[in-house]
Amino acid sequence: MKHWIALALLAAASSVEANVDYAIDLTVPEHHTGRVSIAFPETNAPYLDVKMPAWRTGRYQILNLANGVRDFTATDAQGRPLKWQKIDKSTWRVQLPRPSAVRIGYDLYANQLALRTRHIDDSHAYLDASAVFMFADQYRDDEISVSLKVPPAWKSVSGMDSTAANRFVADNWDILVDSPIETGIHESFKFDEGGRDYEVVIWGAGNYDAPQAVADLKKIVAQTDTIWSGYPFERYVFMIHSGDNIGGATEHRNSTVIQLPRNYFQPRDRYLGLLSTASHEFVHTWNVKHYRPAGLVPYNYETENYTDLLWVAEGSTSYFEDHLLLRAGLMTPEEYFATLANAIERNRHTPGTKVQSVAEASFDEWISASGDRARNASVNIYAEGSLVSWMLDLALLQQTGGKVSYRDVHQALYERFDADQRGYTSKDMLAILAELTGKSWQDWWARHVESPVGSVDFDTLLRPVGLKAIADGPTIAWAGWSGEAEEGGVRLTTVERGSPAWNAGFTPDDIIVSIDGKPVVGQPFDSLLSGRRPGATVKVGYSRRSESGEKTIVLGAVPKDGVKVIPVDTATAAQKALFQRWLLIPYPGE
Ligand SMILES: [Zn+2]
């Protein structure tokens, strides 16, 4: 009995002390490579499986990140080589003939800037651990440290705690893998907001006004208490990459990386895009990092993680992003109404909304469609998820007389679900909806989440909050195609299903060479139909597989500038009140 207790204590003690030390040498960065070393603690297991993730969080796509690894080595603590073999594309099995600590080494090729996984060059390195630092299942919960050997002028920053220059620690690998490291030469800013520390680091030259951006980020982060009652972090880091051929952003535990082309920080519409993106990633700190669909808890880095709720993780985040800008005074109501008009246009010109539900798009995000199929036969979790969130928000407000909004649903998710423990399901969301409103939302869910949304009646949606959608600009001829001018004519890039061009039989990659017999070579795409009226019939000469042909299109009609969302002529007090409860800003003109 005593012996047992002694053994148990020993085991407990060793598991507390056990930790995994990661290091990366970045002193020859110009060839986009680094040398990684990992020290795993002593184990008496017969072998140790060391793995590189197949994907990284925030991008629901298999990336096979083991593809950057070469010159893998394994030794014991004394430096004696250990035998190893790969047992699948991402796993190295190291044989342990006797109890031993294990030292792993490998070269890493890091040249995936736009994927926001790993990038090393002579000015910086961006290291998302899922693409850099291997893990072993039995040590996933152990404390870790990371040390970087970098060129003299480089400084390192991460959401993780730092114990010395270029050194970080975390309670476990899951924190490391959700806390990317940016190291190199940067512009760096710090601010405090509401007693929390924020840091902004910018890599790369660009047409940005850094102090202005920092001042605006400070305003955004001050707005989240309109949705959630607390903060899941004490310190937060915005990492911004300004570069070539990049764009997009990724959320992490208490940090984000935002990428923008160098000249995309101005003018205002592009700058607003940056602020919306920053807001989106910040909202994710709650929605997907703190509370997360059960299919993603814990993250399984070896394979696809399935959930029918990515539309909440992404779409609801997109829905909330501009609300923070509105309340912070960074976006005008008119600019916000323009984003609603875009959503309306998108619904009208995304035939996939009649084909795929947001639940289905969520589950299948790992194999999401591209090219023409992306909108003709599919919806995406961002735009369609945002639309469904909008519809749910207005339905909640309307049915409860403004008492309950979609914000309350997210506050409840925040209070009840900590992704370090458990995730939430559709059933949990339905239970929250029922609890908040005293009625069942099963039917609503079946019609809007589990079935395709279809064509939305936006007048009915907008009227309760005192808004309406109207045609913007004169009616013009419409074919339903888009294209790009090239040497031989105009190459079609998309053809909307059900549009006049679709019905005539056109498909992407057809090259339009003439309209009514007149050559279009050298003409920009936008002028193809100039002078043609809606309802007119045009003969379109085209080339496909190098053979020419002619098809007849009966042109349709659309408003020149799409739709516009504006206040109704005379709003009632009830409409104004519901608008205020919806966006937490006064009704226009009040
Ligand atoms: Zn997102």
Side-chain angles (χ1 to χ4, degrees), residues 5-186:
I5 292 165
L7 270 180
L9 282 174
L10 206 68
S14 69
S15 79
V16 168
E17 282 165 21
N19 60 63
V20 183
D21 296 316
Y22 291 90
I24 183 164
D25 187 329
L26 297 168
T27 49
V28 191
E30 59 270 29
H31 302 299
H32 313 293
T33 53
R35 179 78 190 171
V36 176
S37 318
I38 312 171
F40 288 106
E42 179 160 322
T43 173
N44 54 13
Y47 59 81
L48 182 70
D49 282 346
V50 188
K51 302 170 186 178
M52 192 70 118
W55 64 288
R56 66 141 172 88
T57 64
R59 193 179 196 105
Y60 305 98
Q61 195 185 338
I62 295 298
L63 298 172
N64 290 322
L65 298 160
N67 60 10
V69 174
R70 293 290 186 276
D71 190 24
F72 182 92
T73 60
T75 66
D76 65 13
Q78 284 73 45
R80 289 174 294 196
L82 295 166
K83 283 202 176 120
W84 59 268
Q85 67 186 123
K86 277 195 85 169
I87 57 166
D88 63 41
K89 64 185 178 181
S90 303
T91 309
W92 287 254
R93 177 164 290 173
V94 179
Q95 300 295 337
L96 301 169
R98 57 197 167 269
S100 172
V102 178
R103 305 279 184 265
I104 300 297
Y106 49 92
D107 283 346
L108 184 79
Y109 179 64
N111 198 12
Q112 304 182 331
L113 183 58
L115 286 177
R116 295 181 292 284
T117 48
R118 57 187 176 218
H119 185 251
I120 301 171
D121 73 12
D122 58 1
S123 68
H124 93 137
Y126 174 76
L127 307 172
D128 178 318
S130 57
V132 177
F133 296 125
M134 294 184 188
F135 69 104
D137 286 330
Q138 57 267 58
Y139 300 121
R140 187 164 162 174
D141 296 331
D142 284 24
E143 289 175 27
I144 64 94
S145 72
V146 188
S147 301
L148 293 89
K149 201 172 169 198
V150 294
W154 288 23
K155 287 196 173 66
S156 305
V157 64
S158 169
M160 286 182 286
D161 292 334
S162 180
T163 53
N166 306 310
R167 186 169 191 278
F168 301 96
V169 293
D171 285 346
N172 53 57
W173 183 81
D174 279 88
I175 296 175
L176 164 65
V177 81
D178 216 346
S179 305
I181 300 167
E182 174 68 31
T183 180
I185 300 156
H186 305 99

Side-chain angles (χ1 to χ4, degrees), residues 58 249-251 280-281 284 313-314 317-318 382:
T250 300
E251 69 278 11
H280 178 105
E281 303 312 323
H284 267 316
E314 287 301 347
T317 300
S318 290
Y382 298 84

Side-chain angles (χ1 to χ4, degrees), residues 314 328 338 443 479 582:
E314 287 301 347
D443 281 355
W582 170 38

Side-chain angles (χ1 to χ4, degrees), residues 14 58 86 183 204 211 222 234-235 257-258 295 301 303 308 318 322 328 343 351 412 424 453 476 534 543-544 556 563:
S14 69
K86 277 195 85 169
T183 180
E234 290 301 317
R235 182 175 155 265
V257 55
I258 299 170
Y301 288 95
T303 186
D308 54 7
S318 290
D322 289 335
Y424 66 90
V453 169
I476 56 162
S543 155
R544 181 185 291 175
V563 298

